[in-house]
Amino acid sequence: MIKELHNKLISGEITSVKLTEQYFNAIEKKDKEIGAYLTLTEQLALKQAELVDEKIKKGEKIDLLAGIPCAVKDNICVDGARATAGSKILDNYIAPYDASVIKNIKEADAVILGKTNLDEFAMGSSTENSAYKKTKNPIDPERVPGGSSGGSATAVAGELAAWALGSDTGGSIRQPASFCGVVGLNPNYVRVSRYVLIAMASSLDQIGPIARSVEDAAIILSRISGFDGKDATSAQSGEKPYEDYLTGGIKGLKIGIPREYLEGLDGRIQERFDETVAKFKELGAEIREINLPHSQYSLPTYYIIMPSEVSSNLARFDGIKYGMRIDDRVKSGDTPDHAASALLETYLDTRKYGFGEEVKRRIMLGTYALSAGYYDAYYKKAQRVRALIKKDFEDAFLEVDLIFSPTTPETAFKFGEKTDDPLKMYLSDIYTVTANLAGVPAISFPIGTISKEGKELPLGGQLMGKWFDEENVLNAAYAYEVRESLFIKSVNEFTG
Amino acid sequence: MLTKDEVQHIAALARIGITDKETEKYQKDLSAILDYFKELQKLGTEGIEPISHITGRFNVLREDEVEDFGDLGKEAIMKNAPETKKGFVKVKSVL
């Protein structure tokens, strides 16, 4: 998609301004129904597009991303644009600077169309936790797009952006990509700078691309990755043009299938999965069954570590430094019981009305897990289990080059199906959280559809790689994509 | 099951105001999730070093020098504060 658009731009078949306008027209027509965007950045987009058209006119060489319209999850700051992170507490927040990834894509002259909807502070698996609106799955509007990067996945799947940025803490890029039938990449932990990503759980968070093809994801990763002095966790490892590694050749590559992931899997999902495994075999890969013996502990481990870090990261939203303060609501005649007069009341009330239910639940879980008397039993215990989970991966990667599983244990579910039961919702992340716990790169790509109530719902396959081995992860997914000439059939049907 | 008092205590520690109705809901939710965590107690982890940073990095330091906001501009940052006075963020009186 990106290369095609790039060629059209440099050949003069289309201008960036025209392309940008086309996307805004599509947004105007369709986004009322789908709800992918929270904020549009029209002025910024057109300014950037004009600049690229100038460069092309002058015969200057332009980057692959130049002039191509994209969308950005609303927890990543774009200078001068509103950044809500899907929360009322940041309703009036205007970002005073660019996140490093935004700086990078601006340097590549990408066109930013707007900011996309998400579960509040990226906490959720369905985008139903946004304080603003529900985003609908473009393939079946009765179903959720997944989360928390549901807006970004929907923007790409619904052709309201050529590609998008999301963030992944426990699967928030891969699970919505799977539900919407697009490609989502969670790069290796600290591969991409998190500077001015509104933090959720810092030992797990990673920014990554959502795209229409594996090749696009590789192109985007090349532009957003690299060392950043502004992020104290940023990896020193060298940057590569990842697209150069996409040969499609995977002969002799060893792919491991984790036995534990397939227990109790839905029959039709198992079928799609087995078909994909067979195709990897045809492509010359060697398939081996492997064990990740601590898999059953990854979800409870994740749901201790993540909220603990959430409770710490979200302490900064206190109604003092920025964002909503409860007095504002008193002035605007909104609902609080009384005007907060003392400092403690300001904290309590700002956080009571500013945060949604799931955010409060996680902050409280984290506060509990870190509190005196419980720290050892919960947080420290979880960090120990995390070490064992990492060891599982170390052992597995002695035998195989990649690990393959379904991305999710199910296809997109309906609105409201899980909102009353947080545990049920958390199970959506069962196959994705381990990559974040172990810190390895992982990609989700479409492996076919499953028919439900007359709709063809997409299913994703997930490839996880060794630490900092995005090359093999991307190349194996690319090999499958090319083999299948898989360019998101179901979405094309939807969009005509 | 967590008691109402326990839930309210956690909420107070977390600096979150919650209503009585929410207290009941969180009593149920948090207890169910905490029960789920008990799964981990089945696993022996004696002698396992807890992981604090997955890449094994440790204390990234920089020179102890003043860094100015530079062209970001203090003004742009202060614009987001709910209340300011003479270039400072205004806080409610504590005493």
Side-chain angles (χ1 to χ4, degrees):
Chain A
M1 173 103 181
I2 288 174
K3 273 192 180 161
E4 269 170 41
L5 289 174
H6 176 76
N7 290 338
K8 282 187 179 175
L9 285 172
I10 50 174
S11 72
E13 200 179 314
I14 193 166
T15 65
S16 177
V17 168
K18 182 94 179 100
L19 185 64
T20 303
E21 283 168 352
Q22 275 182 7
Y23 274 106
F24 278 124
N25 286 341
I27 291 167
E28 206 187 314
K29 249 190 259 161
K30 286 199 285 185
D31 203 43
K32 258 192 220 101
E33 162 71 7
I34 296 180
Y37 285 93
L38 288 175
T39 306
L40 296 176
T41 50
E42 260 176 302
Q43 279 180 327
L44 172 69
L46 289 169
K47 209 178 88 191
Q48 196 76 12
E50 279 163 20
L51 190 99
V52 172
D53 287 339
E54 277 297 304
K55 281 191 181 177
I56 294 168
K57 228 193 249 168
K58 279 193 219 151
E60 280 178 42
K61 193 169 157 36
I62 59 162
D63 190 83
L64 277 173
L65 288 189
I68 298 176
C70 68
V72 175
K73 189 176 181 180
D74 205 28
N75 59 350
I76 301 171
C77 289
V78 175
D79 188 9
R82 194 164 162 237
T84 67
S87 182
K88 283 284 176 215
I89 213 164
L90 284 175
D91 191 49
N92 53 10
Y93 183 71
I94 306 293
Y97 32 60
D98 279 329
S100 290
V101 286
I102 299 300
K103 201 171 148 264
N104 291 340
I105 66 168
K106 278 185 176 174
E107 271 165 19
D109 293 326
V111 169
I112 298 169
L113 296 170
K115 307 292 294 294
T116 52
N117 197 21
L118 68 155
D119 284 300
E120 185 175 2
F121 287 106
M123 297 179 202
S125 308
S126 65
T127 317
E128 286 166 292
N129 293 334
S130 166
Y132 296 94
K133 59 181 172 188
K134 287 189 171 66
T135 298
K136 292 175 185 160
N137 191 315
I139 292 146
D140 178 359
E142 281 180 22
R143 293 176 188 270
V144 303
S148 65
S149 310
S152 287
T154 296
V156 176
E159 295 191 67
L160 304 178
W163 61 277
L165 288 177
S167 68
D168 194 314
T169 306
S172 282
I173 285 175
R174 288 160 287 157
Q175 186 253 22
S178 173
F179 280 10
C180 293
V182 292
V183 173
L185 173 70
N186 178 36
N188 196 91
Y189 178 64
V190 304
R191 168 76 85 189
V192 177
S193 169
R194 283 100 50 86
Y195 177 69
V196 208
L197 164 71
I198 296 171
M200 175 187 168
S202 307
S203 83
L204 305 156
D205 291 344
Q206 187 57 78
I207 295 172
I210 294 178
R212 293 183 76 85
S213 70
V214 176
E215 183 186 60
D216 286 1
I219 291 169
I220 298 156
L221 180 65
S222 301
R223 271 84 193 158
I224 62 172
S225 61
F227 177 72
D228 180 18
K230 286 181 170 144
D231 177 348
T233 58
S234 175
Q236 299 279 358
S237 64
E239 208 174 329
K240 288 160 187 152
Y242 293 95
E243 58 273 26
D244 291 355
Y245 288 85
L246 304 181
T247 61
I250 57 165
K251 211 167 177 324
L253 196 79
K254 293 196 264 308
I255 300 180
I257 311 294
R259 200 193 311 251
E260 292 83 359
Y261 280 44
L262 304 176
E263 281 163 17
L265 193 64
D266 173 281
R268 286 191 294 175
I269 292 180
Q270 179 78 53
E271 226 171 87
R272 289 294 96 74
F273 181 73
D274 290 343
E275 285 163 16
T276 311
V277 170
K279 277 162 195 164
F280 275 127
K281 236 187 230 172
E282 279 171 34
L283 286 162
E286 206 180 291
I287 307 296
R288 290 194 190 172
E289 206 171 276
I290 56 158
N291 283 86
L292 295 171
H294 295 94
S295 296
Q296 59 169 310
Y297 302 107
S298 52
L299 205 62
T301 301
Y302 174 76
Y303 274 97
I304 291 173
I305 293 173
M306 174 270 292
S308 298
E309 295 181 15
V310 160
S311 75
S312 161
N313 272 327
L314 270 64
R316 65 173 67 102
F317 301 101
D318 56 5
I320 306 292
K321 298 180 283 292
Y322 42 70
M324 183 184 122
R325 182 186 228 172
I326 205 59
D327 304 11
D328 299 343
R329 293 176 66 114
V330 174
K331 274 180 213 150
S332 70
D334 215 335
T335 51
D337 321 337
H338 59 284
S341 53
L343 185 63
L344 181 62
E345 269 177 37
T346 302
Y347 294 152
L348 292 174
D349 283 355
T350 299
R351 289 159 71 81
K352 175 180 182 176
Y353 294 104
F355 289 142
E357 189 181 303
E358 181 62 22
V359 172
K360 286 191 267 194
R361 182 158 42 229
R362 293 196 192 184
I363 291 175
M364 286 169 64
L365 265 179
T367 303
Y368 184 82
L370 293 175
S371 65
Y374 298 101
Y375 176 83
D376 282 338
Y378 290 98
Y379 186 71
K380 210 164 177 188
K381 177 85 185 179
Q383 293 288 54
R384 287 203 161 99
V385 182
R386 188 176 185 181
L388 292 173
I389 290 166
K390 188 187 180 193
K391 180 78 173 33
D392 279 357
F393 276 81
E394 284 168 352
D395 292 345
F397 285 133
L398 292 175
E399 286 181 53
V400 296
D401 303 303
L402 294 169
I403 297 173
F404 184 51
S405 76
T407 308
T408 56
E410 63 199 340
T411 47
F413 47 87
K414 288 192 169 165
F415 286 99
E417 219 174 274
K418 300 181 187 217
T419 38
D420 287 339
D421 186 348
L423 267 180
K424 216 161 134 194
M425 187 71 94
Y426 295 169
L427 283 167
S428 287
D429 304 331
I430 194 153
Y431 299 146
T432 47
V433 297
T434 36
N436 303 80
L437 287 171
V440 297
I443 196 169
S444 175
F445 56 100
I447 60 166
T449 59
I450 284 164
S451 180
K452 261 187 199 160
E453 294 167 30
K455 303 268 182 177
E456 290 295 322
L457 301 177
L459 180 71
Q462 172 180 245
L463 279 167
M464 297 183 274
K466 291 176 189 165
W467 288 271
F468 294 105
D469 187 19
E470 280 90 339
E471 295 92 329
N472 267 319
V473 170
L474 287 162
N475 188 40
Y478 178 74
Y480 176 79
E481 185 178 82
V482 172
R483 156 84 173 64
E484 290 298 282
S485 321
L486 200 109
F487 296 104
I488 316 154
K489 289 172 214 151
S490 50
V491 174
N492 287 339
E493 273 160 28
F494 166 76
T495 51
Chain B
M1 180 101 157
L2 293 169
T3 64
K4 274 187 184 168
D5 285 350
E6 281 173 312
V7 171
Q8 275 159 1
H9 178 63
I10 300 166
L13 286 176
R15 297 285 185 268
I16 292 173
I18 52 171
T19 61
D20 285 346
K21 214 177 135 203
E22 280 176 319
T23 307
E24 272 175 42
K25 177 153 178 42
Y26 285 128
Q27 234 186 312
K28 218 175 77 202
D29 288 356
L30 296 180
S31 302
I33 298 165
L34 291 172
D35 277 345
Y36 179 58
F37 291 166
K38 292 209 174 102
E39 180 78 8
L40 293 188
Q41 304 308 331
K42 291 185 204 156
L43 185 66
T45 50
E46 260 171 67
I48 307 287
E49 249 331 275
I51 275 191
S52 56
H53 196 279
I54 200 76
T55 62
R57 302 191 76 203
F58 191 74
N59 283 358
V60 178
L61 304 173
R62 66 165 175 83
E63 291 300 311
D64 185 17
E65 286 167 347
V66 175
E67 275 185 34
D68 199 12
F69 284 102
D71 51 4
L72 289 179
K74 290 189 181 87
E75 210 179 299
I77 289 168
M78 295 297 279
K79 244 188 229 167
N80 277 305
E83 216 177 343
T84 57
K85 195 175 174 183
K86 293 180 183 163
F88 293 97
V89 174
K90 201 176 165 209
V91 185
K92 288 229 155 64
S93 61
V94 180
L95 298 171

